[in-house]
Amino acid sequence: MPDASFAVVAKAGDRIADLSTPRPVIDEDRLAANINRVQSYMDEHGLNFRPHIKTHKIPALAVAQVAAGAKGINCQKVTEAEVFAEAGFGDILITFNILGQQKLERLARLNDKIPALKVVADSEVTVDGLAAYFSGHKPLMVLVECDTGAGRCGVQTPEEAASLARRITAADGLTFGGIVTYPKPQAAAAVEAFITETLQRLQSDGITCPIVSNGGTPSLFEAHLVKSATEHRAGTYIYNDRQMVRMGHCSEDDCAMHVLATVVSRPTADRAVIDAGSKALTSDLQGFSDYGLIVGYPQARITSLSEEHGVIDLSNCTGPRPQIGEKLFIIPNHTCVVSNLFDTMVFHRGGVVTRVEEVAARGLVW
């Protein structure tokens, strides 16, 4: 049996340069600045803010987000929401169609436990399943999910949104809570047009729509252009990542998460190998052709990942090249996936560990 103490990866006061790798490390000052920057933007524009916790999956970080002014949290799955309900959060929106007896049983227990649980639905099948289970139980609040251009889930027209809202309103055990969308970026006008027509139809039907929930970090700083929205949801902003840098939402200096990795081999002059593979960096390209940005070596490219190895092409490097034993700081393409790969996150300030937090909702994806 391995020594269980090996799982204790760090403690306050340790230097992150001395940590065993691969390991995500979170800069406390950048983290706090990201939370405050976005909350200030939402406050300025009179929008409620509902952070999506799938990015970090850590209750302590959600506590900081709510302390800054967030009005509730957004979870993606029932099991995720259970962890945060247990941690004391009472206003949770689950933005995923919930189907099946096991999930509905757990959802009902969660609805009994917290005062303000909300879910979404985009079909009569989902609504009828919720209604059949919640009839005779504490009523469940349901929002209609609308596809305003992102091409994922959601009803396709305002007419369908109004029709589904009528079905929710008529169902025993359900309460209509509003509408929700995850839009494509730079489409605020189209989103507003869809919402406006939906609200007009609901008004004609005599249906009140208390919540209009817009979402996504990619469309974060155009949230104020969707005038009919009452709240915005975003997750990635708390850490930021390479994708957010490319989209212009932040700079590299705003990226709070780095994956710390060690160069373990230099087989050729133009190739380095690190101890961070797909189990640490993820294979999620997010439209890039490589697997992360190496701080201090912008011309080096992580060209391939196996489970435990990352291969770096150094052929375009005009200056110094990383050497065996050197620790590299890598900005991942997509932070949310990295969070689900590790049991703990190490936080630091100025390169010194401040705390270690359990990723409490890690692996809870159903």
Side-chain angles (χ1 to χ4, degrees):
M1 292 283 291
D3 182 355
S5 66
F6 188 74
V8 182
V9 296
K11 62 182 184 301
D14 287 350
R15 296 172 60 244
I16 60 170
D18 296 333
L19 296 182
S20 183
T21 62
R23 173 62 46 189
V25 293
I26 310 297
D27 186 299
E28 293 271 26
D29 293 332
R30 294 182 182 188
L31 178 85
N34 291 339
I35 291 173
N36 292 331
R37 175 192 182 205
V38 171
Q39 188 63 56
S40 295
Y41 167 80
M42 295 298 168
D43 292 345
E44 178 185 351
H45 294 288
L47 279 164
N48 290 334
F49 184 47
R50 184 180 295 276
H52 204 322
I53 59 78
K54 72 179 178 65
T55 297
H56 55 74
K57 292 176 171 277
I58 299 173
L61 298 195
V63 167
Q65 291 170 309
V66 171
K71 303 302 182 183
I73 62 170
N74 181 189
C75 294
Q76 199 71 345
K77 298 295 178 66
V78 175
T79 49
E80 239 180 17
E82 287 173 339
V83 168
F84 282 80
E86 190 64 30
F89 293 87
D91 185 345
I92 301 175
L93 170 64
I94 303 174
T95 46
F96 208 89
N97 284 302
I98 298 170
L99 299 157
Q101 183 73 11
Q102 289 183 334
K103 290 186 176 69
L104 290 172
E105 288 174 358
R106 296 180 77 141
L107 185 65
R109 291 197 294 270
L110 188 62
N111 194 43
D112 288 337
K113 182 181 180 69
I114 67 174
L117 179 67
K118 295 169 274 288
V119 302
V120 303
D122 71 352
S123 72
E124 293 181 357
V125 173
T126 303
V127 169
D128 291 349
L130 292 169
Y133 195 87
F134 280 85
S135 178
H137 288 76
K138 175 187 171 184
L140 176 69
M141 182 171 285
V142 183
L143 284 69
V144 174
E145 184 168 8
C146 304
D147 178 8
T148 56
R152 200 162 65 181
C153 295
V155 296
Q156 298 299 294
T157 66
E159 182 179 13
E160 290 178 78
S163 176
L164 204 58
R166 290 194 296 270
R167 198 176 190 92
I168 294 166
T169 301
D172 183 36
L174 303 183
T175 302
F176 175 67
I179 59 176
V180 60
T181 186
Y182 182 83
K184 68 179 182 180
Q186 300 178 333
V191 175
E192 178 65 16
F194 191 110
I195 292 173
T196 299
E197 184 179 342
T198 301
L199 293 176
Q200 290 171 346
R201 289 178 177 274
L202 292 173
Q203 185 177 26
S204 296
D205 291 335
I207 298 174
T208 301
C209 185
I211 299 172
V212 178
S213 184
N214 191 20
T217 300
S219 55
L220 181 57
F221 293 109
E222 59 190 58
H224 66 286
L225 300 177
V226 183
K227 302 294 185 183
S228 298
T230 62
E231 71 172 28
H232 195 89
R233 313 177 317 279
T236 308
Y237 83 96
I238 191 170
Y239 290 154
N240 285 316
D241 55 22
R242 193 182 183 196
Q243 177 190 205
M244 293 301 108
V245 173
R246 179 182 59 193
M247 297 187 75
H249 286 307
C250 65
S251 71
E252 290 180 31
D253 291 338
D254 298 313
C255 291
M257 175 191 278
H258 296 89
V259 175
L260 188 65
T262 302
V263 178
V264 295
S265 178
R266 281 290 311 276
T268 74
D270 290 337
R271 185 164 80 243
V273 180
I274 54 175
D275 58 359
S278 61
K279 291 178 177 177
L281 284 170
T282 92
S283 54
D284 196 343
L285 284 168
Q286 294 295 95
F288 293 99
S289 60
D290 53 350
Y291 295 93
L293 181 64
I294 305 174
V295 176
Y297 296 101
Q299 296 165 320
R301 298 179 62 251
I302 306 171
T303 54
S304 68
L305 300 178
S306 53
E307 289 182 67
E308 310 291 355
H309 300 82
V311 176
I312 304 175
D313 179 2
L314 304 174
S315 60
N316 291 322
C317 293
T318 55
R321 301 180 177 200
Q323 301 300 310
I324 293 175
E326 184 175 346
K327 285 189 167 69
L328 304 179
F329 289 81
I330 301 168
I331 299 175
N333 292 346
H334 192 184
T335 58
C336 304
V337 188
V338 173
S339 291
N340 201 48
L341 296 174
F342 291 88
D343 292 330
T344 57
M345 286 286 156
V346 175
F347 294 75
H348 71 97
R349 179 172 286 111
V352 177
V353 174
T354 54
R355 54 178 167 147
V356 178
E357 295 282 358
E358 178 188 359
V359 184
R362 182 194 175 194
L364 300 181
V365 294
W366 57 276

